[in-house]
Structure formats: C-alpha cells, structure tokens
Amino acid sequence: MSATTEHRHPGDPGAGTVTARTADGAATLATRPTVSDTVSQTLALAWRALKKMQRNFEQMFDVTIQPILFTAMFAGIFGGAISGSVEEYLPLIITGLIGQTVLTACVATGVQIREDMDKGVFDRFKSLPIARIAPLAGPMLADMLRYLIASLLTFATGIALGYRPGGGVLGVLGAIALAVLTGWSMAWIFAWFGTVGRSAQGVQGISLMILFPLTFLSNAFVQPATMPGWLEAFAKVNPVSLVITAIRDLANDGAVTANVAWALLGCAVVVAVFAPLAVRSYGRRM
Amino acid sequence: MEHSTPSAELAVSAHGLVKTFGDVRAVDGIDLEVRRGQVFGVLGPNGAGKTTMLQMLATLLPMSDGRAEIFGVDVRTHPHVIRQLIGVTGQYASVDENLTARENLWLFGRLLGISSRQARATAEELLGRFGLEDAGDRKIAQFSGGMRRRLDLAASLISRPPLIFLDEPTTGLDPRTRGQMWDTIRDLVAGGCTVLLTTQYLDEADQLADRIAVIDRGRKVAEGTSDELKSQVGASTLQLRLLDPGQSERARDVVRRVTGEEPVLTPESGGINVALPDANRAADVLIGLREHDLLITSATVQKPTLDEVFMTLTGHATDELETEAAR
Ligand SMILES: Nc1ncnc2c1ncn2[C@@H]1O[C@H](COP(=O)(O)OP(=O)(O)OP(=O)(O)O)[C@@H](O)[C@H]1O
Ligand SMILES: [Mg+2]
C-alpha cells in the first residue's frame, strides 16, 4: 500500500480516508460510514420492510386479526368465570392481551430477520458500502409500526366491548407508547435468536417455547393471587408481569407509577444486553 | 508466463489467497493480477473455487490466508473502502423479491447515498439500458431468469464502480440473452471499467477476456491470453475430409508417413485429423495425398480450441464439465 495515504480525523478515532488508485486518478474514500449515512441507510431499509409488510399482508395477521379475535374470545370465555362479568374483566384482559400480543409480534421480528439473511438480497447488502447494522436496524424500526397497530386494535376492540379505560386518553396513549417501546426492546432478544439460529423455523420454535410460559405464567390473564403458591411467586417476578402492571397503571389509573419506571428500566437492561449480542453476531454474518 | 505490471496499474493484486472450509481447501494459494481496463476471465469447472475466490476479493468472505489489494487498497483492513470500489453480481440473483425492479434500484441507490430524486433517475436510466423499462413495476417474483440477471447487473452499476465482479454472468441464459450480456460487458469495459468474471464456458472466456486464468480444485493451473493458452497445447490440427471414405486407411498411412504423427479417423466417414507441430507441414500432407491419387473434399488447419487446452491442463475433459454444468 505504498501510495496509499491515510489520515484520521482527531475527533473521530475510527474515521479516516484512504486513497485508491482508480483509473480516473486517485479517489479518496471514507474507511467507514458516518452516523448520518447510517441513519439514512437504516431509514431506507425500514422503508423496504414497510413495503414488504404492505405486500405480504398475511404477515400482519398476528397484529391485526389475531388481537381482535383474541380480545373478543378471551373476554367472552373467561370474563364470567374469572371476574364475574365481561365488563369487570375487560380492564384486566385488555391490558394483559396488549402485552401478550406485542411480545408475540416480536417473535416475528426475529424470524423475519433470519429469513432475510437466507435471501439473495442479503448478499447485495453485504457487498454495498453500508453500515453493517443498517439491515438489522431497519426492520427493527419498521416493526414498531406492527406493535403500534397491535396495541391500537386491542384497545379499540376492548372499547367496542365496553371497556372504559380509567386513565383516559392520555393514560391510553402512555400505555400504547410503553407497549411499543417494550416491543422494540424485547425484539432485540428475538433478533439475537434470529442471528444465531440455523433456520427460520428453528428460531420460531425456540422463541415461542420461551414466550408461552412467560406470557401465560404472568398476570396477563388472571390475578397471580388465584394461582398455586409457586406459580404465584414466578408470576410476580416475571418481567412480563412487570410490564403489564405498568401498562395497567397507565391505562386504567392514568398513573405514572414506580412500576412504569421499573418497566422502562427493564427495557433498558434488555436492550443493553441483547442489542450488542445481536449486533455482534449479525455483524459476523454481514 | 508471469508478466509483471507496475502495481500502480493494477486493479486487483492478490497473493497466496487461501480459503479453507474445515478440511476442504476451496481456494488453495491463488495469485492474481488484473490490470486496469482489462476483462479478466477465471475459468474452471464446478467446485473449482471461482465463487469462493471472488467472494474473498469482494469482502463477502474472510480470507483464510494471503493478501489482496484492489486499486492499491488492502481488502482485509479496509473492507468499507473496497465496497465503494466494486460492483458485485453474484452467481445467484441478489435483488429483493418483494420489491419491483424500479424499487430495487431506487433502494440500492439510496443505500449508496444518492438522493431520492437522483436515485429515481438512475433507476430509470438503468432500466432503459437493460431493456427492462416495461417490466419496471413488476414484482421480481414474476421475472424470468434472464431479466433477473440483467436487473442484478444493473444494480451493480448504480454507483459506477471502477471494478466489477461477475460470477458466471451468463450461466442459464439463452444464446440471444447471452450475446446481449456479452455486449453489455464490452460496453462496460469501453466505458473504463475493469471486469473480473468467472465462467465455465470456454467460448465465453475466449470471446470476452483479455486474459484468462484456468483454475481447478482451488489452484491456478494456467494463465495467459486465449492465444497463449492455446499455444501451450503446442500444435495446430489439420482436419481432412476424403472424397472416397473407402480410402481412409490408405490415406492414414500416407499422413502418418509425412507427419510422423498418429492421425485419428473421425467418426464422420472419410474424416482424418492430425496434430501438426507446425501449421506449414499441412502443405506436405496435401502434396503426399495428391501423389497417391487420394482426393479430398476439404482441408482446414485449426488452432486448438480452449476445450482442448482445458483437457490438457486439467486432465479432465470439458464434456464432464459441460454435462455437470447442464445438470
Ligand atoms: N460455505 C461453504 N462451506 C463448505 N464448503 C464450501 C462452502 N462454499 C464452498 N465450499 C466448497 O468449496 C469448493 C469451491 O466452491 P465454489 O463455490 O467456490 O466453486 P465454484 O468454482 O464457484 O463452482 P461452481 O461453478 O459450481 O459455481 C467446493 O468444493 C465447495 O463444496
Ligand atoms: Mg460458483
């Protein structure tokens, strides 16, 4: 590399340029993408993910038809048995279902990432001078729309069935925001599964195996006090319960409680642990 | 045979490239020098290591050993720079099935940092250039193999990279589309691009490449221009056709005596082929036949084909290669 010069910018230790001897003379090129490149590449790939959603509507069933169906079914089936009447059960089940639906939607995020990596276009992404994180961050960003749709539809179905959230409009909006944020944070766990899994089916299998006990052994559908002692103990420390309690506090009471703070902290911890794991194992394939 | 070029004129310079997958040495110590503005052909049968070698140079696979520079930039230490210098059209189409052709090109343009409006214009221009304007709004899933290949190549040209890697650009294309692809590649070179392509087709390397490396089982077995490779086989071939096939045996004796080589009777009746160390000996053969009143209907002196070269260099016939390719 005799004729190649390299100089680094003082403020940004990683960035620099290299001169290549192309036919047109010397081209000076950046050694890594800038932050603003990374953002616009992530947005472009989020656009791609949105197009994909729009064209494969069956991939949206889990955040459209499913929450409507589940809400109506759960309220009707368990309402009388658990809370005496459907109306009394609604504040419990609607908020619980939001947690459950958003978490299930996260699994799809991980599975899709895995599927993407098996497709031909992934080779193109690898060969382009783009930030290695962008093809992961793009779909993660776009999927926030899925969590939003799921939360909105669950609330709407509940309201149609007679649910009157005590927290008012602001409380509901806060609950939805928390649900979407939780979805995005938890999705990093499944994204990580996606990057280490061997196949999309495998990723789906493992994710659901972990998710089912977490959602059902929580306070999503019943009060833990009605469970046997050991289950109650688990349901109380289950992080899913924590998030659902926070959503309830916001939607039903309009209160920004300590539970909300704990849920936010929990999300931060999940992101802090799993985002680097996902990014690293993704980077290895990129 | 190795000719050295000042390194400033090299688009690709690779030394001792190795890639191992477990026990398999897919690429086993290959040196490569591609001059700027050249079409360099890498010729080899299935499993020779062509794709693996290309992927290492294109930063898609880490090298197990060796080093490579592209326009003087180290591939291993500056992958992001290399990606700005190359366009890659892989063996299998790498476009998004969920998007239309237009959307694909727009997306790749955006990813390359081109403004939205400019990316739309570039997409339009490339669709026109590759005869895809009518199919621009169709989903890729409905594209034929040839259309996909063309779109894939178009996608590699968005940023006008000075070096283009083409992995088997015409495998699976019909003869007409294949010819179009060859023209496109020639246009690229006329526009100043350097092209490194792999192929299993000997005539493709012959037609397109200024320089050819033959690789087999991860090793380079020969390198040179098409003519240089052919002359490695040494001889020209004289092909004769007798007027009276019944005279084949007598004619063979005459040809053997004149040339000192063993002639081969070809399957079509009355055909005789003989290798000539020197093309000028053909006249002696013809005179010999005339003296014995053996009449011919045709006589041609041919340089050996690349098929014959390949056979000589690798020890396996190209038929094997082509039947495998056809599968
Ligand atoms: N990811 C991999 N893991 C294990 N072995 C591999 C891998 N990729 C390639 N190989 C092996 O490396 C060798 C070279 O493969 P490569 O794909 O480079 O050949 P090729 O010349 O491109 O062949 P083709 O003409 O069929 O495309 C083959 O023996 C192949 O089985
Ligand atoms: Mg190959």
Side-chain angles (χ1 to χ4, degrees), chain A residues 21 30 48 55-56 120 124, chain B residues 71-72 84 94 96 98 103 152:
Chain A
R21 291 181 303 251
R48 164 182 176 260
R55 304 227 162 117
N56 303 287
R124 166 89 43 202
Chain B
F71 297 115
Q84 295 169 72
S94 48
D96 193 329
N98 294 291
E103 288 168 344
D152 211 22

Side-chain angles (χ1 to χ4, degrees), chain B residues 50-182:
Chain B
K50 305 181 294 293
T51 300
T52 308
M53 186 188 78
L54 224 58
Q55 289 192 326
M56 282 194 285
L57 292 174
T59 75
L60 298 176
L61 267 183
M63 304 172 199
S64 303
D65 199 9
R67 28 183 261 105
E69 285 180 7
I70 285 176
F71 297 115
V73 179
D74 192 289
V75 173
R76 210 193 276 260
T77 55
H78 291 303
H80 187 71
V81 177
I82 299 300
R83 292 181 195 120
Q84 295 169 72
L85 293 167
I86 61 173
V88 184
T89 302
Q91 189 167 356
Y92 307 102
S94 48
V95 286
D96 193 329
E97 298 278 328
N98 294 291
L99 302 179
T100 67
R102 214 171 241 115
E103 288 168 344
N104 263 292
L105 294 175
W106 180 82
L107 173 66
F108 299 137
R110 290 292 292 146
L111 289 175
L112 286 160
I114 300 170
S115 77
S116 179
R117 211 163 53 87
Q118 184 62 44
R120 215 167 296 133
T122 307
E124 228 40 65
E125 185 219 310
L126 285 168
L127 286 173
R129 184 162 150 205
F130 285 86
L132 291 169
E133 55 274 79
D134 295 335
D137 290 323
R138 265 199 270 159
K139 273 222 236 168
I140 307 302
Q142 303 161 3
F143 269 38
S144 73
M147 289 161 83
R148 267 173 222 238
R149 280 237 143 244
R150 274 182 282 159
L151 179 64
D152 211 22
L153 180 55
S156 311
L157 304 181
I158 293 171
S159 64
R160 301 172 189 279
L163 173 63
I164 294 169
F165 291 127
L166 299 172
D167 197 358
E168 302 196 16
T170 65
T171 300
L173 299 188
D174 66 41
R176 192 175 58 92
T177 322
R178 199 163 168 221
Q180 287 172 354
M181 187 62 91
W182 287 357

Side-chain angles (χ1 to χ4, degrees), chain B residues 9-76:
Chain B
E9 283 175 24
L10 289 177
V12 179
S13 139
H15 297 283
L17 283 188
V18 173
K19 181 74 196 179
T20 52
F21 295 109
D23 291 340
V24 184
R25 292 179 79 82
V27 173
D28 194 6
I30 288 185
D31 296 343
L32 213 60
E33 292 202 337
V34 181
R35 268 192 296 123
R36 288 201 304 237
Q38 213 171 34
V39 178
F40 193 100
V42 175
L43 180 63
N46 283 126
K50 305 181 294 293
T51 300
T52 308
M53 186 188 78
L54 224 58
Q55 289 192 326
M56 282 194 285
L57 292 174
T59 75
L60 298 176
L61 267 183
M63 304 172 199
S64 303
D65 199 9
R67 28 183 261 105
E69 285 180 7
I70 285 176
F71 297 115
V73 179
D74 192 289
V75 173
R76 210 193 276 260

